[in-house]
Amino acid sequence: MSALTGEDAPPQAPRQHYLNVTYGVRSWLLTLDHKRIGLLYLASITVFFLLGGMFAVMIRAELVTPAGDLLQAETYNKMFTMHGLVMVFFFLIPSIPAALGNFLIPLMIGARDLAFPRLNLLSWYVFIVGGLFTLFAVVQGGVDTGWTFYTPYSSTYSNSAVAATAVGVFITGFSSVLTGLNFIVTIHKMRAPGLTWFRLPLFVWAHYATSLIMVLGTPVLTAAVVLVALEHLLGIGIFDPKLGGDPVLFQHLFWFYSHPAVYIMILPSMGVVSEVISCFSRKRIFGYKVIAFSSLAIAVLGFLVWGHHMFVSGQSVYAGMIFSFLSFFVAIPSAIKVFNWTATLYKGSISYDTPMMYAMGFIGLFTIGGLTGLFLASLAVDVHVHDTYFVVAHFHYIMVGGALMGYMAAIHFWWPKISGRMYPEGWGRFSALVIFIGFNLTFFPQFILGYLGMPRRYHAYPDEFQVLNVMSTAGATILGVGYLIPLIYLIWSMRYGPRAGSNPWKAKGLEWETTSPPPTENFLTTPLVTEEAYAYAAPDVEEQEGARVG
Amino acid sequence: MSQNETHVLPLKIYLLIFAVLLVMTGVTVQVAYVDLGFMNTVVALGIACFKASLVVLYFMHLRYSSSLPKLFWVAGLLWLAMLITFAMSDYLTRQWIEQPQGWARNRGISIEQVAKQ
Ligand SMILES: [Cu+2]
């Protein structure tokens, strides 16, 4: 750490940067600067994260005892529904792309802003309006359908604020599409001179793949919501068998978006891990092109596996076989990435700063999450563990152990760039450790619970499951503390942290060549790119490496 | 930059496309009164895709833009095809396996009779 930040003169902040160029609420709410819009997103998703976290607290508190004593069954249904809804649509999906991608992509490609700054601001407002509808639904008494809105819970038999929530999800989808479109056009059209496709940071490749999913997948979710509304308002038979519809069709449409949506959450994190692993191993990333293309492969293959959520839904077993087979297939590009990161570490000069600790956590937890996904993709095993805590544990290993660890790595890695100040490194490592321990204590017992047969989405359970549930709740408490510590010290560091200087990690990449915080126009002169990404190794070592790796 | 050139189409073409769109709407309505069996949906979706393509190609000038936007248009159609194909892999093969009848069969009643009750 000291070797990385040690400079002769203490670093100074630039006299003028994007944070102090103008002041006042108006200057933020009407800003067209991608960096400020990124921070608007960052603040909003933090609020949603805390809200979603509060619902999780209620769930875990109820499950301390086998009897359904703290919450009634109906209230409990609402708690897990709103936990899922807020965390998926209002935290995880916008998290890295809309907040950090927004901030970093123009900086990484040497551009002054995204291609459509006004569209970018619009996407934030659309997101907020969608969020307000969902909050309104919470105030109205909440939703109890599960975040998946399966018909007929959400149609014929809906008995809660489904309409307001559906409108919220419908609106938020547009914000996602706008962000994705903006990224695609920006990455195609606004790269600095010399920045060819294969010199792009892998963070940018990951966001390109993510944007494709956002643009090609989200409209299907929107259409599914509209169809539910049309059936409800006009009586057109789409999902209701009484009218000639098929409830399973809703699951097809929903998962066509929502399985790829998992990759909207995880791909950006994978991009972050590529950046961080390479920087803190002081080594060029192993197999650059393979990692880049595996992101695209995930984006495409991810659309062909949705039926693995429907093995016991009444879907044809033949369709089930196809979806099962393709689900095994989609594991390959993910595994390629994990092996490449591991190979990057090999013989690297590794330092364990906070971002690196989160990135290492990501690799381990994502691997467990991915491998248990293969259990669930197997037709016969899935019949046993379907809708049990095994599934809950699996996707939390992906979404929290994977996506959220990557998000934390990213926040710490680029915090000096965003705020111009360093966070306290000791506290950073400490909280990374707390989060890792808390996470595993929360979710590992859930694998066992699920395998033993505890179903998800019930507020009561048989006595013999109590020990594991208490462990899980204890872990969740530790995890909660682990998230509060960074929240406190990051806010503290905005004012009191030591000045970071433009490149505290001695990292490669255009974003580190401008000041911290960057000026509004990002670069005073357009940068010219003459080398590959991640050119960390000394020239002579680089030649040997090049000869061996190709 | 060739993409930035604006292509001004003669008004005649716009009116022609508009007329075709109206005619196709009429066709959709008329076809809805003819029972084509499973082709009902296929025909309706085919006409809809054709109309959408006309709007995209002429009104949104895709025909005169570079190959990249065209690629994205093709991707959109491809993704729609993926959605339909893989969803149909369910609907077209559901009947291949006899549905279990459970207790109803043991008592000598058919599922249809149960549904009526
Ligand atoms: Cu899935």
Side-chain angles (χ1 to χ4, degrees):
Chain A
M1 172 66 210
S2 56
L4 289 178
T5 47
E7 283 171 11
D8 298 326
Q12 296 293 315
R15 210 161 49 80
Q16 194 167 68
H17 48 76
Y18 80 103
L19 290 170
N20 70 5
V21 65
T22 44
Y23 289 99
V25 178
R26 252 180 80 92
S27 78
W28 280 88
L29 292 184
L30 297 177
T31 182
L32 297 177
D33 182 353
H34 66 99
K35 298 183 286 303
R36 285 190 168 205
I37 297 171
L39 289 194
L40 288 177
Y41 265 115
L42 190 64
S44 351
I45 61 173
T46 305
V47 172
F48 280 113
F49 180 68
L50 293 174
L51 185 70
M54 267 150 53
F55 294 132
V57 168
M58 299 305 286
I59 296 171
R60 283 321 317 169
E62 165 59 59
L63 293 176
V64 172
T65 56
D69 38 18
L70 181 69
L71 302 174
Q72 288 183 318
E74 288 77 15
T75 322
Y76 182 79
N77 290 350
K78 289 177 179 171
M79 286 303 150
F80 70 67
T81 299
M82 292 186 294
H83 168 66
L85 237 138
V86 168
M87 286 303 202
V88 169
F89 290 112
F90 297 96
F91 176 71
L92 281 167
I93 286 178
S95 62
I96 296 183
L100 296 158
N102 223 329
F103 190 99
L104 289 166
I105 287 175
L107 285 165
M108 284 181 164
I109 65 171
R112 291 173 151 232
D113 207 312
L114 288 173
F116 308 114
R118 280 167 209 280
L119 213 57
N120 195 17
L121 182 65
L122 177 70
S123 87
W124 182 72
Y125 277 102
V126 170
F127 172 73
I128 292 297
V129 172
L132 288 179
F133 265 98
T134 306
L135 290 182
F136 174 69
V138 173
V139 178
Q140 266 195 324
V143 211
D144 65 355
T145 58
W147 77 279
T148 47
F149 291 116
Y150 275 9
T151 52
Y153 301 133
S154 60
S155 53
T156 319
Y157 301 108
S158 79
N159 53 4
S160 53
V162 176
T165 323
V167 172
V169 170
F170 174 83
I171 295 175
T172 314
F174 286 93
S175 132
S176 205
V177 173
L178 294 181
T179 303
L181 187 70
N182 220 339
F183 286 175
I184 291 176
V185 177
T186 307
I187 296 169
H188 269 287
K189 290 285 171 194
M190 296 175 69
R191 283 171 283 127
L195 189 54
T196 58
W197 279 90
F198 292 118
R199 286 178 179 174
L200 281 176
L202 289 164
F203 182 88
V204 178
W205 272 98
H207 274 76
Y208 187 79
T210 308
S211 305
L212 287 180
I213 303 176
M214 286 171 157
V215 171
L216 291 166
T218 317
V220 177
L221 178 75
T222 312
V225 172
V226 171
L227 288 175
V228 171
L230 281 182
E231 181 177 83
H232 187 72
L233 298 173
L234 304 176
I236 303 172
I238 296 162
F239 306 122
D240 186 353
K242 247 189 296 177
L243 301 170
D246 175 22
V248 175
L249 178 63
F250 179 84
Q251 300 186 24
H252 279 298
L253 296 175
F254 179 83
W255 288 113
F256 182 83
Y257 166 76
S258 294
H259 180 80
V262 176
Y263 298 116
I264 297 181
M265 306 172 203
I266 200 78
L267 275 170
S269 277
M270 292 171 156
V272 170
V273 170
S274 297
E275 302 291 320
V276 170
I277 294 274
S278 177
C279 172
F280 292 98
S281 313
R282 305 274 112 200
K283 254 186 84 191
R284 173 169 291 186
I285 195 95
F286 182 86
Y288 172 94
K289 282 191 185 176
V290 187
I291 298 186
F293 282 122
S294 67
S295 292
L296 292 184
I298 287 175
V300 176
L301 283 175
F303 275 101
L304 304 178
V305 301
W306 79 82
H308 62 213
H309 296 269
M310 301 164 59
F311 290 156
V312 300
S313 69
Q315 170 184 255
S316 151
V317 281
Y318 295 102
M321 288 177 199
I322 297 174
F323 283 123
S324 171
F325 177 75
L326 290 170
S327 301
F328 278 93
F329 224 70
V330 83
I332 296 172
S334 306
I336 287 175
K337 283 177 192 274
V338 170
F339 286 126
N340 277 325
W341 292 322
T342 318
T344 307
L345 292 171
Y346 179 65
K347 287 194 173 171
S349 94
I350 298 170
S351 53
Y352 292 96
D353 297 273
T354 312
M356 186 62 161
M357 289 182 68
Y358 280 113
M360 302 288 256
F362 174 101
I363 296 181
L365 299 179
F366 172 74
T367 303
I368 296 178
L371 289 176
T372 50
L374 293 179
F375 292 36
L376 293 166
S378 321
L379 279 165
V381 180
D382 184 67
V383 174
H384 175 62
V385 289
H386 181 85
D387 250 349
T388 67
Y389 265 87
F390 193 89
V391 178
V392 177
H394 154 69
F395 72 73
H396 280 89
Y397 265 78
I398 298 287
M399 292 179 181
V400 184
L404 201 54
M405 291 298 249
Y407 175 75
M408 296 302 285
I411 289 279
H412 286 85
F413 189 53
W414 284 290
W415 188 253
K417 187 52 64 182
I418 294 171
S419 68
R421 293 179 188 266
M422 296 304 294
Y423 58 86
E425 184 60 35
W427 281 105
R429 291 183 199 189
F430 174 70
S431 65
L433 211 61
V434 171
I435 287 176
F436 185 81
I437 293 167
F439 173 83
N440 281 295
L441 189 57
T442 311
F443 292 107
F444 201 84
Q446 296 186 5
F447 277 126
I448 305 167
L449 281 169
Y451 199 77
L452 293 175
M454 179 171 163
R456 64 193 284 207
R457 298 183 164 173
Y458 286 87
H459 73 146
Y461 56 86
D463 291 340
E464 63 260 37
F465 294 142
Q466 189 174 13
V467 176
L468 288 165
N469 268 297
V470 169
M471 281 168 72
S472 183
T473 300
T477 315
I478 298 173
L479 188 60
V481 172
Y483 287 128
L484 285 179
I485 301 172
L487 188 67
I488 295 167
Y489 68 65
L490 288 178
I491 292 173
W492 172 88
S493 77
M494 283 198 277
R495 197 175 183 101
Y496 303 105
R499 296 275 178 199
S502 56
N503 190 359
W505 312 116
K506 299 271 180 290
K508 296 286 179 179
L510 288 180
E511 79 268 31
W512 300 108
E513 285 175 20
T514 187
T515 54
S516 307
T520 303
E521 61 273 28
N522 291 348
F523 300 95
L524 300 177
T525 54
T526 309
L528 177 71
V529 182
T530 55
E531 58 178 15
E532 310 284 304
Y534 316 111
Y536 281 108
D540 51 348
V541 184
E542 200 176 331
E543 267 163 37
Q544 292 169 9
E545 290 274 324
R548 252 188 303 124
V549 178
Chain B
M1 297 264 286
S2 59
Q3 303 98 305
N4 290 350
E5 287 170 26
T6 42
H7 288 268
V8 184
L9 289 175
L11 189 64
K12 234 170 39 184
I13 293 194
Y14 285 120
L15 289 176
L16 182 70
I17 302 293
F18 182 60
V20 173
L21 289 174
L22 282 183
V23 170
M24 292 317 283
T25 308
V27 172
T28 312
V29 175
Q30 284 308 312
V31 166
Y33 288 103
V34 185
D35 190 4
L36 301 170
F38 81 98
M39 288 298 283
N40 280 335
T41 319
V42 178
V43 170
L45 275 178
I47 297 176
C49 281
F50 174 67
K51 282 164 69 185
S53 298
L54 283 184
V55 171
V56 170
L57 286 172
Y58 291 95
F59 289 169
M60 298 169 82
H61 292 236
L62 187 74
R63 215 192 132 179
Y64 310 100
S65 37
S66 62
S67 48
L68 189 63
K70 282 181 185 153
L71 183 69
F72 272 82
W73 174 56
V74 173
L77 291 176
L78 188 72
W79 253 249
L80 180 66
M82 268 156 42
L83 171 65
I84 293 174
T85 310
F86 281 85
M88 289 319 278
S89 81
D90 171 15
Y91 289 101
L92 295 181
T93 62
R94 268 194 207 175
Q95 305 310 319
W96 288 9
I97 286 188
E98 208 190 338
Q99 296 297 315
Q101 305 274 317
W103 61 271
R105 170 177 286 179
N106 294 338
R107 291 190 188 175
I109 356 173
S110 73
I111 281 287
E112 287 73 31
Q113 282 172 300
V114 177
K116 269 190 209 129
Q117 283 168 11

